Amino acid sequence: MQRYFIHQNQIESDLIHITEGDSHHIQKVMRMQIKDQILVCDQKNTYRCEIVAMLPEEVLVKIVDIDSTSKELPVEVTIAQGIVMREKMETVIDNVTELGASYYLPVEMEYCTARFSQEKKDQKMIRMNKIAKEASEQCHRTHLLSVLEPVSFSSLLSMSKNYDLCLVAYERSTKDDSIKKLLEKKNYSKVLVLIGPEGGISEKEMMLLDSANFHRVTLGPRILRTQVAPVYVMSAISYVWEENDDNI
Amino acid sequence: MQRYFIHQNQIESDLIHITEGDSHHIQKVMRMQIKDQILVCDQKNTYRCEIVAMLPEEVLVKIVDIDSTSKELPVEVTIAQGIVMREKMETVIDNVTELGASYYLPVEMEYCTARFSQEKKDQKMIRMNKIAKEASEQCHRTHLLSVLEPVSFSSLLSMSKNYDLCLVAYERSTKDDSIKKLLEKKNYSKVLVLIGPEGGISEKEMMLLDSANFHRVTLGPRILRTQVAPVYVMSAISYVWEENDDNI
């Protein structure tokens, strides 16, 4: 069934106003009719709805039932990554969206070989968020992953105060930095995970991350590339925090 | 340091005979000299070696020390996957190699949209194994992942008897099929994981898999695509079976 993402202010009691591009899509692209059904997500629930009116500027649908089974991780995860080449960034955004991340944050770091050029930034942000929207729809999420505007490394350090767990993937971590030990404590609500760019993380950056209370974690004994590491972390988080907690 | 994969029969006491393409690579491409050092892997250990002789057909190196810290998963994992499009297959092979899988097995399944054409098979196998070799070198593995020749679905069912745990990722699994419950038992030596093709797994195939003692497992509450599911499973296996077991 076709799925549309809306804002909560579009809901009015048991009716939902579908507007703009989505209204056009329903009427002109899908050529739906009165009584046809669609799924509508408001970042919290998924509603099964029936079309009750077609107006030139909007489609009015009536909520038939609510699917409140959560497809969302019980914790908000932000994947921060040193800016990487476009194809890799797109793959990572696509994959971590499927695995339940809430935000993707590109970070300017010392060993980045790729940059966000100022003139292409807006266009790039639109494209990246479109990829996230499509991946969210594909995997039946109720929330969209947001791709945030790139930040400097020092901004990342300041932002980190707003999270209750900050991790940085670092191949030279000692055995003391167990991702397991950290993840087994389940009382987090906001988690930030930093993955370096292709060139890795500089020693100076690591020192600053240490001071900002980032925990260094290793992701198994092999060296993972920058596009695989975020998928490993998100899979581990999903594995530990979702599905059958009683069976651990 | 440059890394080369050899067969064990190339080792003679503390000397190793580097032959064929690798000998050419050392002498003509890298233009190394006597006393230069290389890393040599024999699917078990990594040896740091010093070049002691350059002959027209081979390079003779002497073992300086052995790095026996394992980069390998403590269990042999075969990722079997319904045949998918070339780019996706290459990405999966690349990613699961990094995550420690031993074998990749393409399987002919009912809903496959891609096929291995007979005339291009040899060429394809060479290319897929080259991708696995490069990924193994990149992530410092001592074993190469082997890409196996495609098999029919019924061959997969017969082969499954040789494994002590067989899993199939299936989105409609009930809560009883906990991947956690299965993975927490750690006494496996050979694990087979089947991932369906883009089109999914047919009901008939699921029935046959059930009879062949495959365990249906879900990978979190979201629907993962065929190229992300194997990465999730390998990450979970690495997370559970590697690194700091004492801290669980």
Side-chain angles (χ1 to χ4, degrees):
Chain A
M1 204 179 291
Q2 197 66 31
R3 183 176 289 261
Y4 298 94
F5 281 91
I6 58 150
H7 292 285
Q8 279 192 306
N9 62 15
Q10 291 173 250
I11 306 177
E12 203 183 317
S13 172
D14 65 341
L15 294 174
I16 300 174
H17 302 266
I18 312 279
T19 56
E20 297 175 6
D22 290 338
S23 164
H24 175 84
H25 192 262
I26 290 170
Q27 302 197 49
K28 304 294 181 194
V29 182
M30 301 298 292
R31 297 175 179 275
M32 290 190 197
Q33 307 293 329
I34 303 286
K35 290 208 171 169
D36 280 350
Q37 295 202 339
I38 60 170
L39 294 173
V40 180
C41 306
D42 69 349
Q43 303 274 341
K44 198 172 147 200
N45 292 309
T46 301
Y47 306 95
R48 190 160 60 88
C49 298
E50 188 179 290
I51 298 175
V52 290
M54 303 271 210
L55 309 171
E57 297 293 313
E58 73 169 55
V59 173
L60 199 64
V61 301
K62 191 177 167 178
I63 296 171
V64 178
D65 57 33
I66 304 178
D67 173 14
S68 53
T69 52
S70 181
K71 302 273 190 245
E72 295 299 324
L73 271 179
V75 56
E76 178 196 299
V77 181
T78 299
I79 295 289
Q81 186 168 39
I83 296 171
V84 295
M85 304 298 279
R86 188 174 61 80
E87 294 79 9
K88 284 185 192 167
M89 198 183 286
E90 290 180 6
T91 305
V92 171
I93 289 171
D94 186 281
N95 289 356
V96 302
T97 300
E98 272 191 43
L99 294 165
S102 295
Y103 297 98
Y104 179 82
L105 175 65
V107 184
E108 290 158 9
M109 292 176 70
E110 206 174 323
Y111 296 156
C112 286
T113 48
R115 300 266 169 236
F116 257 63
S117 69
Q118 206 51 43
E119 63 268 31
K120 286 194 186 157
K121 204 176 72 176
D122 293 349
Q123 204 183 326
K124 235 178 179 173
M125 293 301 298
I126 291 169
R127 184 175 159 80
M128 299 290 169
N129 277 299
K130 189 164 170 266
I131 288 167
K133 184 169 184 279
E134 285 168 0
S136 301
E137 288 167 354
Q138 147 79 33
C139 69
H140 301 186
R141 283 187 65 175
T142 45
H143 284 47
L144 288 177
L145 171 137
S146 290
V147 180
L148 303 173
E149 299 237 341
V151 295
S152 66
F153 187 73
S154 59
S155 304
L156 175 81
L157 295 178
S158 326
M159 287 169 70
S160 69
K161 295 179 193 80
N162 304 324
Y163 295 83
D164 40 29
L165 177 65
C166 298
L167 305 177
V168 51
Y170 193 57
E171 61 199 64
R172 273 169 289 171
S173 296
T174 65
K175 282 227 165 189
D176 296 332
D177 307 294
S178 166
I179 186 170
K180 265 182 204 164
K181 218 169 176 174
L182 293 163
L183 293 190
E184 294 292 325
K185 293 182 196 153
K186 299 190 183 182
N187 52 349
Y188 305 114
S189 62
K190 289 180 74 175
V191 176
L192 177 63
V193 183
L194 175 64
I195 311 287
E198 289 96 339
I201 302 175
S202 77
E203 284 195 19
K204 190 180 153 209
E205 284 169 340
M206 277 312 301
M207 275 172 52
L208 292 165
L209 290 165
D210 287 342
S211 318
N213 286 323
F214 274 77
H215 298 269
R216 300 178 178 203
V217 290
T218 45
L219 308 175
R222 292 164 299 281
I223 310 289
L224 301 185
R225 281 169 313 159
T226 184
Q227 63 269 43
V228 178
V231 186
Y232 185 110
V233 175
M234 288 307 305
S235 300
I237 287 176
S238 162
Y239 180 83
V240 176
W241 287 336
E242 294 187 311
E243 204 226 1
N244 286 13
D245 281 347
D246 300 336
N247 293 318
I248 296 174
Chain B
M1 206 179 292
Q2 196 66 32
R3 183 176 289 260
Y4 298 94
F5 282 91
I6 57 150
H7 293 287
Q8 279 193 306
N9 62 14
Q10 291 173 250
I11 306 176
E12 202 184 319
S13 173
D14 65 340
L15 295 175
I16 301 174
H17 301 267
I18 312 279
T19 56
E20 298 175 6
D22 291 338
S23 163
H24 174 84
H25 192 261
I26 290 170
Q27 301 196 49
K28 305 293 180 196
V29 182
M30 301 299 290
R31 297 177 180 275
M32 289 190 198
Q33 306 293 329
I34 302 286
K35 289 208 169 168
D36 281 350
Q37 294 201 340
I38 61 171
L39 293 173
V40 179
C41 307
D42 69 349
Q43 303 274 343
K44 197 170 150 204
N45 292 308
T46 301
Y47 306 95
R48 190 161 59 87
C49 299
E50 189 179 290
I51 298 174
V52 290
M54 302 272 210
L55 309 169
E57 296 294 313
E58 73 170 55
V59 172
L60 198 65
V61 301
K62 190 177 167 180
I63 296 170
V64 177
D65 57 33
I66 303 178
D67 173 13
S68 54
T69 52
S70 181
K71 302 275 190 245
E72 295 299 325
L73 273 178
V75 56
E76 177 196 301
V77 181
T78 299
I79 295 289
Q81 185 168 38
I83 297 172
V84 295
M85 305 296 281
R86 188 174 60 81
E87 295 78 10
K88 284 185 192 166
M89 197 184 285
E90 289 180 6
T91 305
V92 171
I93 289 170
D94 186 280
N95 289 356
V96 302
T97 301
E98 273 191 44
L99 294 165
S102 295
Y103 298 99
Y104 179 83
L105 174 66
V107 184
E108 290 157 9
M109 292 176 71
E110 204 174 325
Y111 294 156
C112 286
T113 49
R115 299 263 169 240
F116 257 61
S117 68
Q118 206 51 42
E119 62 269 31
K120 286 193 186 158
K121 203 177 74 177
D122 292 350
Q123 206 182 325
K124 236 179 178 171
M125 293 302 298
I126 291 169
R127 185 175 158 79
M128 299 292 171
N129 277 299
K130 188 162 170 267
I131 287 167
K133 183 169 185 277
E134 284 168 0
S136 302
E137 287 167 354
Q138 147 79 33
C139 68
H140 299 188
R141 282 186 65 174
T142 45
H143 284 46
L144 288 177
L145 171 136
S146 290
V147 180
L148 303 173
E149 298 237 342
V151 295
S152 66
F153 187 72
S154 59
S155 304
L156 175 81
L157 295 177
S158 326
M159 286 168 71
S160 68
K161 296 181 192 78
N162 304 323
Y163 294 83
D164 40 28
L165 177 66
C166 298
L167 305 178
V168 51
Y170 193 58
E171 60 200 63
R172 274 169 287 171
S173 296
T174 64
K175 281 228 167 191
D176 296 331
D177 308 294
S178 167
I179 186 171
K180 263 182 205 162
K181 217 169 177 173
L182 293 163
L183 293 191
E184 295 293 325
K185 293 182 197 153
K186 298 187 185 187
N187 52 349
Y188 305 114
S189 61
K190 288 180 77 176
V191 176
L192 176 64
V193 183
L194 175 65
I195 311 287
E198 288 96 339
I201 301 175
S202 77
E203 284 194 22
K204 188 179 153 211
E205 284 169 339
M206 276 312 301
M207 275 172 54
L208 292 166
L209 290 166
D210 287 342
S211 319
N213 285 322
F214 274 77
H215 297 268
R216 300 176 177 206
V217 290
T218 45
L219 308 175
R222 291 164 301 280
I223 311 288
L224 302 185
R225 281 169 311 159
T226 184
Q227 63 270 44
V228 178
V231 186
Y232 185 111
V233 176
M234 288 308 304
S235 300
I237 288 176
S238 162
Y239 180 83
V240 177
W241 287 336
E242 293 188 310
E243 203 225 3
N244 287 12
D245 282 346
D246 299 336
N247 293 318
I248 296 171

